[in-house]
Amino acid sequence: MKKTIITLAMLLIGSVAFAQTYFDPRPTKRDFSYQVGASLMSYNDFTMYGFSAGVNYKERIEAGYFHVRDYVSKETFMDTRWGGWYATISIPANDCIAVGPVVRFTKHDNEWQDPFFGAEVRFDLSWNTKLAIEYGKGEAAGMGVKLLWNLY
């Protein structure tokens, strides 16, 4: 009789605790998230590609590091590199587009450059993927396209 009562109690507990009870199909957005991205940029007449990694707050304020380079030169250490720190503030224009200023403190071929100020437009492709287009000017004019993923 004891085994029957224990088995019935376990079956009752098991029937209440389905996985679907605790599963929310809508992704939850946290205040802080990590963001990684692939970048294609044109700066100082060089087309370069690379990566960016950063932290953002509520999908509006972002700060991080980026590094792009061109791989045209076949000689070692003769390629052009552009990298540094950046910060962005995104202001929503509607539910899937955000615009805002961007500032970059960069090194170009291991020499510090003037701060790069620009404007950025971000398009929401899905709940964690964005496409960003940027244009600005520092010591030279530059533009870029980034594909960004939020890691929650």
Side-chain angles (χ1 to χ4, degrees):
M1 185 71 176
K2 238 190 229 183
K3 290 181 183 179
T4 307
I5 292 174
I6 292 173
T7 305
L8 287 174
M10 290 180 76
L11 286 172
L12 180 65
I13 291 170
S15 69
V16 172
F18 284 116
Q20 288 82 4
T21 306
Y22 302 108
F23 177 70
D24 185 8
R26 295 167 294 160
T28 58
K29 289 190 174 182
R30 298 188 178 113
D31 287 346
F32 283 95
S33 67
Y34 295 105
Q35 191 170 63
V36 296
S39 302
L40 172 67
M41 297 196 163
S42 174
Y43 180 74
N44 203 12
D45 294 331
F46 292 101
T47 300
M48 301 172 274
Y49 55 94
F51 71 93
S52 64
V55 176
N56 65 22
Y57 176 69
K58 292 190 176 182
E59 304 282 334
R60 298 296 168 239
I61 300 171
E62 180 186 355
Y65 176 79
F66 80 101
H67 183 86
V68 293
R69 59 192 283 195
D70 93 20
Y71 294 91
V72 174
S73 178
K74 296 188 188 311
E75 294 185 32
T76 309
F77 301 114
M78 294 300 291
D79 54 346
T80 301
R81 299 168 187 241
W82 189 44
W85 299 97
Y86 69 92
T88 309
I89 298 174
S90 299
I91 302 161
N94 62 18
D95 59 343
C96 65
I97 297 174
V99 297
V102 61
V103 62
R104 295 179 183 269
F105 300 100
T106 65
K107 278 186 166 184
H108 185 257
D109 289 335
N110 214 15
E111 294 179 6
W112 284 104
Q113 302 286 302
D114 290 341
F116 181 88
F117 296 102
E120 184 176 73
V121 179
R122 290 186 181 200
F123 302 94
D124 290 343
L125 301 179
S126 70
W127 65 276
N128 72 335
T129 307
K130 296 179 179 6
L131 178 70
I133 300 171
E134 171 186 341
Y135 180 79
K137 185 156 177 53
E139 286 189 13
M143 65 172 298
V145 177
K146 298 185 290 186
L147 189 59
L148 303 168
W149 293 276
N150 286 333
L151 306 175
Y152 290 102

